[in-house]
Amino acid sequence: MNTTTDISVIIPIYNEEHNIDELYKRLKAALNEVTQQYELIFVNDGSADHSLQKLITLTQQDQRVFYINLSRNFGHQVAVSAGLDYCKSKTTVIIDADLQDPPELIPKLYAEHSKGFDVVYAKRISRDGETFMKKATSKLFYRILQKITSFDIPLDVGDFRLLDKKVVEALREMPEQNKFLRGQIAWLGFKQTFVEFKREPRKYGESGYSYGKMFSLAFDAVTGFSDKPLLLVSRLGFLISLVSFFVILFAIFSHFVLKETITGWTSLIISSMFIGGIQLLSIGVIGEYISRISTNVKNRPLYVISDSNIEKENK
Ligand code: UDP
Ligand code: MG
C-alpha cells in the first residue's frame, strides 16, 4: 500500500469479538461508495476475548486490512494514537468498533473533506442506549472544559471524525503522553466542520470505558489544556486567608471591646476541617499536574506493539 490510498480507517478494539464481522462488512460497503483505495487498521488494545483471532483472519482474507496488536491494554486514546502513527492515506477516519458510530456516515465525512475541510467531525444529535449518568456527566464535563480552555472544543462530539493527512502529521508531532485527541485536534485548529448523526446504542458487548477510565480521561483533558485549576487553588487560598483575617480581627475586637471571648469546640473543629479539606484538595489538584509532568519526563514509549502486519511510512 502506498501514499496514494484515499482513506485509512482506524478502529480501536477492546473486547469487540461480536462486533468485528458486522463492522467490517459495513465499513467495506460504506468505503466502496467512495473509493477502492482504502486501508482498515484495527488496533487490538489488549482484548481478553477472541478479537485478535478474528482480526488476523480478516487480514488473511483482505489485503486492505491491517492489524496492530498492542502488548496489553493501553486505553482507547493510546490505541487510536498507535493507529495514527501507522496510517498512510490522504485522509484518516477514526471510528469506534461497537457500531455506535455508523460507518455509513463516512461518505458524508469524505464529501466535506472534498469541499476543503481538514477536520470533519461527526456531531451526535442524539445518544440512544447510554445511561443518564454517562450523558449527564459528559455534558457537564464538556461545558466546564469549554469554559476553562482558551480554544473551542466542539460539544457533543466523540472521536468519530475524518482528518486530513496534514492534521495526522501534526498530531504525530504532539509529544504528550496523556492523550486527549479531541482536545489536541481542536487545539491544532485547521479548517474544521461537522456532520450530524444519531448515535446508536452499542451493538454487542459492554462499554470498555469504566468510570475510572472516564475520570482519568477527564483529568487528562483538563490538565492537558488548562491551568485554570491551579489558578483557582491559589485564589481559593487567598480568599480563605482573607476571610480568616477578618475573623481574627473580629475575635480581637470581641475580646477587648465587647469583653466576650469567642469560645467553642464546634467552631474550632469546623474551621480546621474546612481548611484541612481545602488543603488536601489543593494538593490533589497540584498532584494531578505533577503526576503528568512525571509521566512525560520519563518519556517512555506511548505503547508497545506485540505483533502487527503493517509498517510505517518512509521505512
Ligand atoms: N476501547 C479501547 N481500549 C479501551 C477501551 C475501549 O480500544 O481500553 C475501544 C473500544 O473497543 C471501542 C472504542 O474504544 O472501539 C470506544 O469504547 P467504548 O464503546 O467501550 O466506549 P463508550 O462508547 O462506552 O464511551
Ligand atoms: Mg461505545
Side-chain angles (χ1 to χ4, degrees):
M1 208 63 64
N2 51 40
T3 30
T4 53
T5 357
D6 293 319
I7 308 182
S8 296
V9 184
I10 298 176
I11 314 118
I13 300 283
Y14 180 59
N15 298 343
E16 305 281 8
E17 59 180 352
H18 298 298
N19 291 315
I20 289 173
D21 288 332
E22 181 178 342
L23 175 73
Y24 169 68
K25 278 199 201 97
R26 285 173 58 181
L27 274 174
K28 207 163 124 174
L31 288 161
N32 275 329
E33 278 179 34
V34 198
T35 174
Q36 299 288 319
Q37 301 295 317
Y38 62 84
E39 58 174 9
L40 305 181
I41 305 176
F42 291 91
V43 185
N44 181 40
D45 187 20
S47 299
D49 63 0
H50 296 99
S51 298
L52 181 65
Q53 286 88 319
K54 287 220 147 172
L55 295 180
I56 292 178
T57 311
L58 279 185
T59 60
Q60 287 157 354
Q61 291 165 359
D62 187 340
Q63 282 195 337
R64 288 175 291 199
V65 177
F66 297 91
Y67 80 98
I68 298 173
N69 183 31
L70 300 183
S71 61
R72 63 171 169 84
N73 179 248
F74 282 89
H76 172 226
Q77 299 287 304
V78 175
V80 174
S81 305
L84 287 170
D85 286 341
Y86 283 83
C87 59
K88 304 180 199 66
S89 307
K90 289 176 206 146
T91 67
T92 298
V93 172
I94 302 169
I95 191 168
D96 281 359
D98 57 1
L99 298 162
Q100 284 194 288
D101 304 332
E104 293 71 27
L105 201 70
I106 294 177
K108 274 195 187 166
L109 298 177
Y110 195 71
E112 291 298 313
H113 176 264
S114 312
K115 291 181 199 162
F117 290 99
D118 301 315
V119 178
V120 189
Y121 50 87
K123 191 180 169 85
R124 17 183 211 233
I125 48 171
S126 70
R127 295 173 87 168
D128 288 342
E130 289 188 90
T131 61
F132 171 77
M133 262 307 270
K134 183 143 191 164
K135 284 191 269 196
T137 44
S138 109
K139 202 167 181 133
L140 180 72
F141 170 68
Y142 281 102
R143 265 123 195 115
I144 295 175
L145 194 61
Q146 204 167 46
K147 283 247 149 50
I148 62 176
T149 48
S150 53
F151 55 93
D152 264 346
I153 295 180
L155 295 174
D156 304 316
V157 171
D159 283 316
F160 186 24
R161 58 186 71 209
L162 181 143
L163 308 173
D164 184 85
K165 175 134 202 176
K166 59 188 178 195
V167 182
V168 172
E169 279 166 359
L171 276 173
R172 287 180 191 157
E173 296 296 314
M174 292 182 87
E176 57 253 64
Q177 295 269 327
N178 308 91
K179 299 286 179 194
F180 180 62
L181 291 165
R182 288 157 233 190
Q184 289 175 248
I185 293 166
W187 181 90
L188 281 172
F190 289 108
K191 265 190 95 179
Q192 313 212 351
T193 188
F194 62 90
V195 167
E196 289 179 334
F197 80 110
K198 289 201 180 81
R199 198 152 206 245
E200 302 286 325
R202 166 178 266 280
K203 204 78 187 219
Y204 298 101
E206 287 169 11
S207 169
Y209 259 98
S210 56
Y211 277 105
K213 279 185 183 170
M214 271 168 62
F215 266 114
S216 76
L217 184 68
F219 278 118
D220 284 340
V222 172
T223 53
F225 293 98
S226 173
D227 286 337
K228 289 266 164 70
L230 291 173
L231 279 176
L232 199 73
V233 157
S234 57
R235 283 189 199 150
L236 201 66
F238 180 72
L239 193 76
I240 291 173
S241 313
L242 201 72
V243 171
S244 61
F245 176 71
F246 284 111
V247 174
I248 292 167
L249 282 188
F250 176 71
I252 295 171
F253 176 77
S254 167
H255 181 74
F256 289 107
V257 183
L258 305 177
K259 302 288 180 211
E260 266 176 42
T261 309
I262 302 172
T263 58
W265 183 85
T266 317
S267 58
L268 208 73
I269 288 294
I270 289 176
S271 55
S272 67
M273 278 175 72
F274 177 68
I275 299 293
I278 299 276
Q279 278 175 338
L280 283 182
L281 185 86
S282 310
I283 294 171
V285 169
I286 299 167
E288 291 291 341
Y289 283 86
I290 294 182
S291 91
R292 280 161 183 84
I293 296 174
S294 134
T295 314
N296 281 292
V297 167
K298 280 181 212 144
N299 204 13
R300 291 187 180 148
L302 191 60
Y303 51 84
V304 176
I305 295 177
S306 162
D307 49 290
S308 78
N309 70 336
I310 189 169
E311 282 187 10
K312 276 191 188 165
E313 284 172 293
N314 317 321
K315 249 194 174 177

